[in-house]
Amino acid sequence: DTGVSQDPRHKITKRGQNVTFRCDPISEHNRLYWYRQTLGQGPEFLTYFQNEAQLEKSRLLSDRFSAERPKGSFSTLEIQRTEQGDSAMYLCASSPGRALGEKLFFGSGTQLSVL
Amino acid sequence: AQTVTQSQPEMSVQEAETVTLSCTYDTSESDYYLFWYKQPPSRQMILVIRQEAYKQQNATENRFSVNFQKAAKSFSLKISDSQLGDAAMYFCAYRRETSGSRLTFGEGTQLTVNP
């Protein structure tokens, strides 16, 4: 168990650029979540995958955001035409998907700064 | 929609003393799960304790225990014998009893432990 891995740890970009983040969940975890956390706030749900299927999306996930999990393993989150309001920490979490109310394992996040 | 409220932005405690963090939530569901997560400076969210709403007995994990009042929709965390390593941001979270359901987090409480 190597934990949930996120890359990069930090990303600085200019407004209008596209960025892509990667999340590698714990091996054999079939559920994967993306959350966004702004300074001084709790994480907010963005989207959720069961294997490769994206089953739920928050209204926070505008059409500039897209997430994929092509083979049911790692996932990517892309933000197109970044805006300053996108500056936040993007957290990924995974879980085995075997029990209700189960524990989520979080990564250390990707901190995005849009200049 | 479910909401989670943490009314204490900051709390402090002396090492070896006991501290209680407050959390209230609003839901129309009867079955759900409640969690306390810890986020140290490393930013990785770590599960501290979990409570199933259908269980009347309060959950306990070593020095951590909860006071779950279902009728009052209150879910406080008590940390006994506080240690320096307990210093972190603590988030209360709610999850419906639905497979794969999202977590809804509160705003967090920053806990300082004084030596």
Side-chain angles (χ1 to χ4, degrees):
Chain A
D1 178 357
T2 57
V4 177
S5 176
Q6 291 190 246
D7 185 68
R9 191 80 190 267
H10 301 274
K11 178 70 177 179
I12 300 174
T13 190
K14 293 182 179 179
R15 189 174 53 186
Q17 298 294 305
N18 298 343
V19 295
T20 300
F21 311 140
R22 177 181 170 120
C23 171
D24 286 273
I26 293 173
S27 179
E28 300 181 354
H29 278 195
N30 60 32
R31 292 185 187 158
L32 187 146
Y33 302 79
W34 284 99
Y35 285 81
R36 181 174 71 184
Q37 185 178 21
T38 54
L39 195 62
Q41 299 294 316
E44 296 174 293
F45 172 82
L46 292 178
T47 190
Y48 150 65
F49 289 85
Q50 173 97 14
N51 299 312
E52 66 275 11
Q54 188 174 19
L55 297 186
E56 193 174 352
K57 291 168 61 174
S58 164
R59 283 171 288 181
L60 292 174
L61 216 63
S62 75
D63 56 5
R64 296 186 297 106
F65 288 71
S66 62
E68 294 183 342
R69 194 183 182 195
K71 297 183 179 179
S73 56
F74 73 92
S75 175
T76 58
L77 178 68
E78 181 183 16
I79 309 174
Q80 296 181 329
R81 305 180 302 282
T82 52
E83 302 173 356
Q84 288 184 326
D86 297 331
S87 295
M89 185 161 70
Y90 291 83
L91 293 167
C92 177
S94 70
S95 66
R98 290 192 293 269
L100 297 177
E102 63 187 5
K103 176 181 177 180
L104 265 62
F105 294 79
F106 283 84
S108 296
T110 293
Q111 182 68 52
L112 173 66
S113 298
V114 181
L115 304 179
Chain B
Q2 296 83 21
T3 58
V4 178
T5 302
Q6 294 178 248
S7 59
Q8 305 156 315
E10 298 177 347
M11 290 284 285
S12 64
V13 63
Q14 290 295 126
E15 197 175 2
E17 296 295 309
T18 296
V19 64
T20 299
L21 308 183
S22 301
C23 172
T24 59
Y25 58 95
D26 186 27
T27 183
S28 58
E29 306 282 336
S30 58
D31 295 320
Y32 48 87
Y33 299 87
L34 295 166
F35 306 83
W36 279 97
Y37 276 87
K38 169 184 177 181
Q39 189 176 42
S42 66
R43 308 186 304 184
Q44 188 169 26
M45 301 282 281
I46 301 166
L47 178 66
V48 174
I49 199 165
R50 172 177 53 201
Q51 175 79 43
E52 294 92 336
Y54 63 86
K55 289 187 177 179
Q56 292 186 339
Q57 186 172 5
N58 289 323
T60 299
E61 289 286 343
N62 300 314
R63 298 182 295 106
F64 299 88
S65 61
V66 299
N67 183 4
F68 173 48
Q69 301 289 328
K70 191 173 184 178
K73 297 181 181 176
S74 170
F75 183 61
S76 61
L77 174 70
K78 185 171 81 172
I79 306 174
S80 303
D81 186 25
S82 297
Q83 301 176 358
L84 295 177
D86 295 333
M89 184 73 102
Y90 285 81
F91 292 98
C92 178
Y94 165 98
R95 188 179 190 183
R96 290 169 51 197
E97 192 186 16
T98 302
S99 179
S101 176
R102 67 180 71 178
L103 282 170
T104 300
F105 287 88
E107 308 93 329
T109 297
Q110 181 67 52
L111 178 66
T112 301
V113 180
N114 300 310

